[in-house]
């Protein structure tokens, strides 16, 4: 595929800005957005990221939005690249003090610098601001260079239903964060519930951004717990299915395994094979009631087929920003056939 072709073909005049919408989770979504931002800056393109809120959780009286924060910190240049989450130059004094009080929960890593975002967010929410306004406020500090929208201002929490050990037939539910962090996703998940999603509405601006998009990209984020909760908000899937823009997904699974994290354990609960084809089929072809107009998989997964979806195989390792930019260029090339 020639790399010199125009990145995007404007629908209107060549000077009018293009609109690119990205559905994203946290760390994977944030890294992908670094590449999207770089491509967009060179192409008079505005980017709106619609970010998962299913990971959101109340801890120690604070509202914590792990995926929004990961995206904010990554794009704002504050993320710790080695740890993969949270802020660089972090200290842990408050966490140590909480441990001295034996304050629960103790399994969530709350850094001192990170705490500032949670304090500001919780304070603004208590004053009646919506999460999208709060996010806009946090963006004034981090200047992510893209418009960040939570999928919904209404609290959505992903819960995991697991079997109770030693008691046949009994189940219990726990917050996704507890399952993922405290238990390392080792308790076999029977089901994921996006609690609150049914009554939730898309955050202000979300349907409008989708309707005005020239291209929609589904980041290589966890399909079950990052992309799933976004699509569970009534109105978002419908807006995507209606939008005139092509929708291109990027596979988070390479050679049958998640690049990082435990998406395999999440997919298992849905009975979906942990493969580029499995996730492509889960998202489905737009013309068959699904979402995809194109599916980008890694070169190692060539040939992958997804029913009624054009598939392109290209390198999908986000090893650095240049590699991620190339992925975005390939996704846009697929979008324009
Ligand atoms: P989280 O919310 O912090 O877990 O992050 P996301 O859901 O946005 O992203 C996690 C997903 O990103 C995992 O399923 C990984 O397989 C995927 N991922 C991470 N790094 C890469 C990469 O370099 N290439 C691809 N294709 N996927 C990746
Ligand atoms: Ca997440």
């Amino acid at each position: 595929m020639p790399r010199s072709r125009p990145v995007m073909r404007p629908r209107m005049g060549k000077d009018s800005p293009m609109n690119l919408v990205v559905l994203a989770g946290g760390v994977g979504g944030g890294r992908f957005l670094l590449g999207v931002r770089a491509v967009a800056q060179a192409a008079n393109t505005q980017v709106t990221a619609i970010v998962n809120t299913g990971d959101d959780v109340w801890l120690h009286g604070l509202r914590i939005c792990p995926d929004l924060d990961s995206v904010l910190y990554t794009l704002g240049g504050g993320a710790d690249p080695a740890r993969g989450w949270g802020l660089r130059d972090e200290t842990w004094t408050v966490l140590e003090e909480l441990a001295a009080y034996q304050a629960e929960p103790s399994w969530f890593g709350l850094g001192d610098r990170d705490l500032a975002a949670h304090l500001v967010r919780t304070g603004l929410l208590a004053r009646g601001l919506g999460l999208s306004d709060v996010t806009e406020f946090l963006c004034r500090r981090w200047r992510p260079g893209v418009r960040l929208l939570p999928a919904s201002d209404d609290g959505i929490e992903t819960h995991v239903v697991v079997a109770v050990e030693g008691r046949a037939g009994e189940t219990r539910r726990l917050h996704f964060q507890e399952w993922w962090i405290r238990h390392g996703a080792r308790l076999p998940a029977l089901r994921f519930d996006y609690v609150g999603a049914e009554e939730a509405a898309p955050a202000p601006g979300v349907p409008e951004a989708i309707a005005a998009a020239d291209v929609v990209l589904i980041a290589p984020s966890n399909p079950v717990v990052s992309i799933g909760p976004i699509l569970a908000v009534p109105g978002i899937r419908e807006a995507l299915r209606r939008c005139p823009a092509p929708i291109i997904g990027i596979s988070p699974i390479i050679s049958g395994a998640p690049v990082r994290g435990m998406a395999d354990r999440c997919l298992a609960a849905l009975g979906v094979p942990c493969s580029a084809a499995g996730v492509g089929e889960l998202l489905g072809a737009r013309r068959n009631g699904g979402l995809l107009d194109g599916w980008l998989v890694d070169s190692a997964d060539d040939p992958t087929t997804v029913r009624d979806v054009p598939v392109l195989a290209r390198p999908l390792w986000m090893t650095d920003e240049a590699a991620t930019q190339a992925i975005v260029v390939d996704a846009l090339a697929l979008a324009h056939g």
Side-chain angles (χ1 to χ4, degrees):
M1 187 149 320
R3 278 291 161 78
S4 55
R5 67 185 293 170
V7 165
M8 293 199 229
R9 262 179 237 141
R11 274 200 317 215
M12 301 163 289
K14 74 174 170 34
D15 293 330
S16 43
M18 300 288 298
N19 294 310
L20 186 49
V21 166
V22 183
L23 308 191
V27 176
R31 288 206 181 138
F32 182 69
L33 282 162
L34 283 173
V36 172
R37 181 179 64 184
V39 170
Q41 274 167 356
N44 192 23
T45 294
Q46 293 172 349
V47 179
T48 301
I50 299 172
V51 181
N52 173 42
T53 53
D55 287 18
D56 295 8
V57 63
W58 287 99
L59 294 173
H60 306 291
L62 299 174
R63 189 62 171 166
I64 297 172
C65 301
D67 283 4
L68 278 166
D69 287 345
S70 289
V71 171
L72 203 55
Y73 295 163
T74 301
L75 293 176
D80 185 302
R83 211 183 313 115
W85 54 270
L87 287 165
R88 69 173 83 204
D89 304 324
E90 189 57 282
T91 55
W92 307 92
T93 309
V94 173
L95 199 63
E96 284 160 27
E97 281 298 307
L98 287 168
Y101 288 103
Q102 300 187 326
E104 292 294 336
S106 56
W107 43 264
F108 194 89
L110 274 180
D112 299 332
R113 299 185 68 216
D114 186 29
L115 265 170
H118 312 319
L119 288 166
V120 170
R121 176 187 297 118
T122 307
L124 292 174
L125 289 171
R127 280 166 51 188
L129 265 72
L131 183 59
S132 44
D133 290 332
V134 173
T135 303
E136 197 180 324
F137 184 83
L138 296 174
C139 285
R140 286 192 214 161
R141 189 253 160 116
W142 289 106
R143 302 188 177 283
V146 310
R147 186 170 173 229
L148 279 194
L149 296 177
S152 176
D153 277 2
D154 304 318
I156 298 168
E157 293 192 351
T158 301
H159 289 191
V160 190
V161 177
V162 300
V164 178
E165 235 179 288
R167 293 205 207 160
E170 265 187 56
T171 62
R172 67 182 179 103
R173 64 169 56 237
L174 62 170
H175 192 288
F176 166 72
Q177 292 293 338
E178 187 176 358
W179 179 76
W180 186 261
I181 297 171
R182 183 180 187 185
H183 298 287
R186 278 181 298 273
L187 303 175
L190 302 174
R191 202 173 74 227
F192 291 87
D193 288 343
Y194 310 125
V195 176
E198 271 174 34
E199 304 80 41
V206 166
E208 295 82 355
I210 294 170
D214 294 291
V215 177
V216 177
L217 299 179
I218 302 179
S221 289
N222 186 313
V224 182
V225 294
S226 289
I227 302 301
I230 300 175
L231 300 177
V233 177
I236 294 190
R237 184 184 279 275
E238 294 75 4
L240 288 165
R241 286 196 36 78
R242 259 199 319 268
C243 79
I247 303 177
I248 306 297
I250 295 93
S251 177
I253 306 296
I254 299 180
S255 301
V259 177
R260 61 193 299 278
M262 300 161 280
D264 47 338
R265 308 229 167 117
C266 303
L267 288 164
L270 274 63
V272 172
C274 181
S275 64
V279 177
E281 295 285 357
L282 176 69
L283 291 167
R286 184 133 61 140
R287 74 166 96 137
N288 293 333
L291 291 174
L292 296 176
D293 298 304
W295 184 231
L296 193 59
V297 305
D298 188 75
S299 309
D301 292 312
D302 193 19
T304 289
T305 55
V306 176
R307 194 160 64 101
D308 290 330
V309 181
V311 176
L312 178 66
R314 302 283 298 160
L316 286 195
W317 289 86
M318 298 190 284
T319 42
D320 56 25
E321 203 172 303
T324 311
Q325 278 188 55
I327 296 172
V328 175
V329 170
D330 286 330
L332 297 176
L334 185 56
H336 297 304

